[in-house]
Amino acid sequence: MKKTAILAASALLTLAAPATAQNLNNLRIMAPASPGGGWDQTSRTIQTVLQNQGIAKPVQVFNVPGAGGTIGLAQLYNSKGDSNLLMTMGLVMVGAIQTNSSKVDLSRVTPIARLTGEYEVIVVPTSSPYKTLGDLAAAWKANPSLPFAGGSAGGTDHMLVGLFAKAAGVDPRKMNYVPFSGGGETLAAVLGNQVTAAVAGYGEFEAQIKAGKLRALGISAPKAQPGIPVATMKSQGFNVDLANWRGIVAPPGLSSSEKGALVAAMDKLHASKEWKDTIKTRNWTDLYMSGSKFDVFLKLEATRTREILKDIGLVK
């Protein structure tokens, strides 16, 4: 009887013990976009560090492109209870869920962690008469049809222009936003004076800014960023704060210990010197947040994004 009781107690303790990062085997990471893009690069960087640090082995990355990541999101939702599956996602997906009227939203998944991000900059050609963000805002208010270039409609760039419009006293529904499919096209448009200004992550414009071909008028960070000599929009009187962040989510239906193991894995990844060196090399901004904090952040971000897209007129 005594031996049986000890074995039963041991079994209960085993069941109750929280899973740790070392339990992770055969992990798969879905990049819900085509190979080569930001989500794909992030997924493969996570794969490398997890394996090199012995946090999880083996780790496989696979791609499910389409509809701003919402096709991959639906596939993740249909993988309920799969604790060996993760998906890379970010602000672009938050917007795409709403503009594509996706049947699956982020309330249907298990949030794990926010990892990195990139702040946006507003640039003009160096020949532009607009020397400051205030100059551009004043001209824009006088003429709301001034064209701004950026990435796809409803994406992070479009959202930033909408936020700037509102802060500058311009009706976001009247702004002239010109979407391009890639950063190269946006860059060509602003350098060729086809548009008044352009928006993208700082990295997209860095070389041209340093070469003196573009003037950066403001960055959408909450405070000055080390190594980026661009004044924040907030410091210039425009209450705009937006990061093109990337994070990790898992399927729904995980137990608390399964979610805990995945959060622990991301915590270990983030704490590693390899990860810190990698994001520095790639010029990514560390925006790490995990567990319940990321749960709350996702809900708030979904609400904020919907309001921005409503102001722009892309969703009702």
Side-chain angles (χ1 to χ4, degrees), residues 20-312:
T20 62
Q22 284 81 3
N23 297 137
L24 298 180
N25 295 304
N26 300 309
L27 194 65
R28 292 172 297 126
I29 303 175
M30 181 201 305
S34 299
W39 287 340
D40 181 70
Q41 290 175 27
T42 301
S43 299
R44 294 181 192 282
T45 302
I46 294 169
Q47 174 193 38
T48 299
V49 178
L50 285 176
Q51 293 188 140
N52 287 349
Q53 296 298 313
I55 299 169
K57 286 186 178 182
V59 181
Q60 175 196 355
V61 173
F62 64 101
N63 300 82
V64 182
T70 57
I71 291 176
L73 177 63
Q75 185 169 313
L76 186 81
Y77 173 69
N78 289 327
S79 302
K80 296 175 186 177
D82 186 347
S83 61
N84 289 320
L85 177 61
L86 294 172
M87 181 181 74
T88 303
M89 46 75 72
L91 179 59
V92 171
M93 181 180 287
V94 179
I97 287 167
Q98 301 186 42
T99 55
N100 290 316
S101 300
S102 172
K103 292 181 180 179
V104 180
D105 62 27
L106 294 171
S107 68
R108 307 283 190 91
V109 302
T110 303
I112 302 299
R114 184 182 71 179
L115 296 171
T116 63
E118 185 176 25
Y119 292 107
E120 303 266 296
V121 289
I122 297 175
V123 300
V124 295
T126 49
S127 59
S128 169
Y130 310 121
K131 307 297 184 186
T132 68
L133 202 59
D135 292 343
L136 179 61
W140 198 18
K141 194 171 182 179
N143 179 12
S145 65
L146 291 181
F148 280 68
S152 59
T156 308
D157 302 344
H158 199 172
M159 283 190 257
L160 180 67
V161 178
L163 287 172
F164 179 39
K166 201 168 181 179
V170 175
D171 183 348
R173 290 174 181 261
K174 293 182 179 179
M175 67 187 194
N176 181 10
Y177 182 77
V178 185
F180 290 98
S181 60
E185 293 177 2
T186 301
L187 183 61
V190 69
L191 288 174
N193 292 298
Q194 299 168 28
V195 294
T196 300
V199 173
Y202 177 75
E204 296 274 0
F205 295 139
E206 182 178 18
Q208 302 298 331
I209 292 170
K210 289 182 174 179
K213 295 182 179 180
L214 290 176
R215 180 185 302 124
L217 301 182
I219 188 167
S220 64
K223 59 184 180 181
Q225 295 297 293
I228 302 180
V230 182
T232 67
M233 298 177 74
K234 281 191 170 185
S235 70
Q236 299 178 73
F238 301 94
N239 189 24
V240 177
D241 175 358
L242 188 72
N244 185 16
W245 56 268
R246 293 180 185 133
I248 287 286
V249 296
L254 302 190
S255 68
S256 58
S257 62
E258 287 172 334
K259 177 180 178 180
L262 294 172
V263 171
M266 291 301 110
D267 286 346
K268 286 198 168 191
L269 171 131
H270 175 254
S272 71
K273 183 178 183 299
E274 183 180 0
W275 176 258
K276 295 183 186 305
D277 289 346
T278 299
I279 64 173
K280 187 176 181 180
T281 300
R282 289 182 173 272
N283 289 318
W284 292 345
T285 299
D286 187 353
L287 295 178
Y288 194 72
M289 174 191 292
S290 66
S292 58
K293 288 184 179 179
F294 185 48
D295 292 16
V296 173
F297 170 80
L298 267 187
K299 290 173 185 173
L300 293 174
E301 196 74 339
T303 300
R304 181 171 83 135
T305 300
R306 183 164 189 81
E307 289 305 311
I308 296 170
L309 295 175
K310 281 174 71 175
D311 286 342
I312 294 172

